[in-house]
Amino acid sequence: MPITIRRFALLVLPTTVLAACANLPNAPTTSTLTAPPSSVSVITKSAGAAPASPRNMVVDVTPLTEFSDLDSKAGPQGQDFGNTYTRVTISSTISATKDGEEDPVSLQYQKRNALYRYLLGKKSDINLAANIKVGEYETTASLLTLSHQSDRNGEFWNRSVGHELLNFPLFLIRPDGDANIPEISFVLSGSSEYSSNMAGTALQIAIAGIQQVSPEASVLTKLTTQASKDKAQAIDKAIQNLFANGIKETHVSHRDLRRWNPNGGVAVLLRIPTKEGNWDVNSLEEVGTWKISFAAPRPSIFADWSICTGAQPRCQPTRAAALHAVHAEINPGQVLSYNLLQGNSSLGSIRSYLQQQDWFATAMTGFGNPNTDQKTAENLCKNIGNAITSLGLNGDDADIVIWAALKAMPLTGTINPGAFTGPYCSAAVTRATL
């Protein structure tokens, strides 16, 4: 499916173009920017506009990308993420067609002729990525990649577009404020490199010429091979350095989570040059916009009830109501079977994780004495709660795990019936069954 881009005019400074490899078709060029001595030249976003007063001039220092904060005018009217879970959400406006707008401009797969590819290899890349840091959580998502390699081995294109990216892990926003300020970075990187295949060809021509003039001079050619190679490699490197160029644009935003509204977020609009690898252009084509936001907060990982309003499914207007909905539909087996992950490693289910702890085995062997069973049970409940919160889960989920463990885990049969009526255990069970 072709990438849809829209026309966007961009005026640049007058240029003086130096043509390189003039005898080759589609030869790359280098440009030198010059400005009339009597005026100040700036990039503007509207063709044909009247010259602005120097005091009112605005220079667009990132012409390929445009950052926007969709909540910039909103006060602290966002949702309360404290002690809840959320995940990153990314959406884009890119589509194959633009209904109601001008005909889309397709970025063609333009081939270079075989001789040019053989003499001068070319590789062009554009990548737009988003980096999100929230407390201890960090992720990077590639939003768009355009790559073209053209050399003696053929033509290769790679184009990848992220449309809607939602498969990010849940992470906890701690109530202490440590993760209340997400850092969002949009990074555009572009490069264009040339690799000449003329070094070996030049050496072969030199050898052939010397052998034709003086066949006995083949020994002389052998003695000067390294010098010829060095010269050819120097030319090759000079050509590569002459035509290689790159560009990078970065936008960084820090914003309090209290200002993240359900329909808001931060966004970046991307424009790309119509001529591959040429950053000095008179016009740019608009590709589309990507928006980053966060999913509605949810009080538990064990059910997908969220704190939100409106007609969205599985929403409750308050944290208490959402937590009550979670308690109403979970069961102990489901909770204890939940698979825990730490980094890229699996810790197994909650049940197996608890059973692997030394304090769990100690508690199982400590039951059986009516005088100490309640104390042993209190220590067990506290250890379960501490273990779950140390994994990065909140106190509500720790209560749920305590309730599930007491309900469904195979505890020793000699426990006093009133062992789990102590204040810590009973309070956790009560909170988990409200």
Side-chain angles (χ1 to χ4, degrees):
M1 181 173 64
I3 296 176
T4 302
I5 50 185
R6 295 182 295 181
R7 295 183 178 88
F8 187 92
L10 177 66
L11 301 182
V12 299
L13 304 177
T15 61
T16 302
V17 180
L18 176 64
C21 301
N23 295 329
L24 297 175
N26 303 322
T29 62
T30 59
S31 301
T32 302
L33 300 180
T34 61
S38 60
S39 64
V40 177
S41 297
V42 297
I43 298 175
T44 63
K45 289 191 176 180
S46 56
S53 168
R55 294 182 179 179
N56 297 327
M57 287 182 177
V58 177
V59 179
D60 184 3
V61 296
T62 56
L64 301 184
T65 53
E66 181 177 322
F67 176 85
S68 59
D69 187 340
L70 305 181
D71 299 328
S72 59
K73 296 182 180 180
Q77 301 170 358
Q79 294 169 294
D80 183 6
F81 283 85
N83 204 32
T84 66
Y85 306 93
T86 185
R87 57 164 47 98
V88 175
T89 64
I90 300 177
S91 59
S92 79
T93 62
I94 295 180
S95 62
T97 60
K98 297 290 184 180
D99 296 335
E101 300 182 5
E102 60 181 302
D103 293 337
V105 179
S106 295
L107 189 62
Q108 302 295 331
Y109 293 96
Q110 295 180 345
K111 295 184 177 180
R112 302 160 71 219
N113 66 62
L115 177 61
Y116 189 43
R117 286 192 291 103
Y118 180 81
L119 295 177
L120 196 65
K122 177 183 178 182
K123 187 176 187 301
S124 297
D125 296 282
I126 295 178
N127 178 260
L128 179 65
N131 180 265
I132 302 100
K133 297 179 182 178
V134 189
E136 298 178 354
Y137 175 72
E138 181 176 356
T139 187
T140 297
S142 178
L143 307 181
L144 177 136
T145 298
L146 304 177
S147 180
H148 178 206
Q149 181 175 335
S150 173
D151 54 27
R152 63 195 303 172
N153 297 316
E155 302 268 5
F156 304 95
W157 286 271
N158 177 27
R159 297 179 180 180
S160 174
V161 181
H163 292 275
E164 188 170 20
L165 308 178
L166 303 175
N167 191 25
F168 296 97
L170 290 169
F171 58 91
L172 177 66
I173 304 298
R174 298 186 181 278
D176 57 11
D178 180 56
N180 279 344
I181 310 294
E183 178 182 327
I184 312 293
S185 301
F186 292 106
V187 181
L188 173 71
S189 302
S191 65
S192 182
E193 299 177 358
Y194 292 84
S195 58
S196 172
N197 296 314
M198 296 176 66
T201 303
L203 184 59
Q204 292 170 10
I205 293 174
I207 293 174
I210 292 174
Q211 288 178 340
Q212 283 194 0
V213 173
S214 176
E216 295 180 358
S218 58
V219 175
L220 177 63
T221 301
K222 185 176 181 180
L223 293 175
T224 59
T225 295
Q226 187 59 47
S228 299
K229 284 184 178 180
D230 291 343
K231 182 177 181 180
Q233 290 173 357
I235 295 173
D236 188 43
K237 184 176 181 180
I239 292 175
Q240 182 174 355
N241 292 339
L242 176 64
F243 297 120
N245 59 84
I247 194 168
K248 186 174 183 179
E249 295 183 1
T250 302
H251 299 273
V252 181
S253 173
H254 296 186
R255 178 137 61 77
D256 197 310
L257 272 172
R258 290 172 296 179
R259 291 179 55 193
W260 285 90
N261 291 285
N263 298 319
V266 294
V268 64
L269 182 146
L270 174 66
R271 307 180 188 97
I272 62 174
T274 54
K275 186 174 181 181
E276 190 177 83
N278 182 11
W279 314 114
D280 267 345
V281 293
N282 292 322
S283 64
L284 295 175
E285 301 292 351
E286 184 176 304
V287 177
T289 300
W290 285 264
K291 183 183 77 170
I292 293 181
S293 190
F294 294 96
R298 48 190 286 186
S300 174
I301 64 170
F302 297 117
D304 59 351
W305 283 97
S306 299
I307 308 168
C308 44
T309 57
Q312 302 179 59
R314 298 183 70 79
C315 273
Q316 292 291 343
T318 65
R319 179 190 181 90
L323 198 55
H324 179 74
V326 171
H327 295 159
E329 70 178 36
I330 60 174
N331 62 74
Q334 168 198 346
V335 172
L336 296 176
S337 298
Y338 191 92
N339 193 44
L340 295 171
L341 296 175
Q342 189 173 51
N344 295 323
S345 302
S346 174
L347 299 178
S349 66
I350 289 179
R351 177 187 287 104
S352 63
Y353 176 75
L354 294 179
Q355 290 174 334
Q356 293 169 16
Q357 307 307 309
D358 293 339
W359 46 260
F360 188 87
T362 300
M364 294 302 100
T365 58
F367 284 120
N369 186 339
N371 298 323
T372 60
D373 276 359
Q374 188 175 97
K375 182 179 179 180
T376 302
E378 285 287 279
N379 289 334
L380 175 62
C381 292
K382 291 177 181 178
N383 284 328
I384 292 175
N386 291 335
I388 296 303
T389 55
S390 68
L391 290 175
L393 303 185
N394 63 17
D396 293 320
D397 280 342
D399 290 339
I400 290 175
V401 172
I402 292 172
W403 163 78
L406 302 187
K407 282 283 187 179
M409 287 197 70
L411 305 177
T412 177
T414 59
I415 300 178
N416 187 314
F420 294 102
T421 59
Y424 191 92
C425 292
S426 58
V429 171
T430 299
R431 289 191 297 265
T433 53
L434 289 176

